[in-house]
Amino acid sequence: MCGLWAGFTVAVGSLTAAAIVGVNGQPWLAALFAGPSVLALAKLFVIRRADAEDARRITRAQQNALADPKPM
């Protein structure tokens, strides 16, 4: 149960931080806070397992998200 609360806290904290820095005009930092790494970190706390393939997928997704930003 403790891991579930830790995962929830990490996810909510990261998404809140992404919203705050995004509103303040820092989209790159917001992308880091709200990217796929947040889901991986929550998965690590909740399921207590991390695979090497997950890390590769997360890295690829983060690079794709930051390489092709959509105009605002």
Side-chain angles (χ1 to χ4, degrees):
M1 193 67 169
C2 190
L4 198 62
W5 280 108
F8 176 75
T9 304
V10 165
V12 169
S14 294
L15 293 176
T16 302
I20 291 170
V21 298
V23 168
N24 290 330
Q26 299 174 344
W28 288 92
L29 189 57
L32 290 174
F33 278 129
S37 57
V38 173
L39 297 176
L41 194 55
K43 176 186 173 188
L44 180 66
F45 279 113
V46 174
I47 299 175
R48 296 177 192 242
R49 190 184 85 189
D51 301 327
E53 182 60 30
D54 285 345
R56 282 190 286 275
R57 274 187 271 163
I58 290 164
T59 303
R60 217 173 306 124
Q62 189 77 26
Q63 288 171 346
N64 292 341
L66 294 176
D68 188 27
K70 305 276 189 261
M72 295 177 133

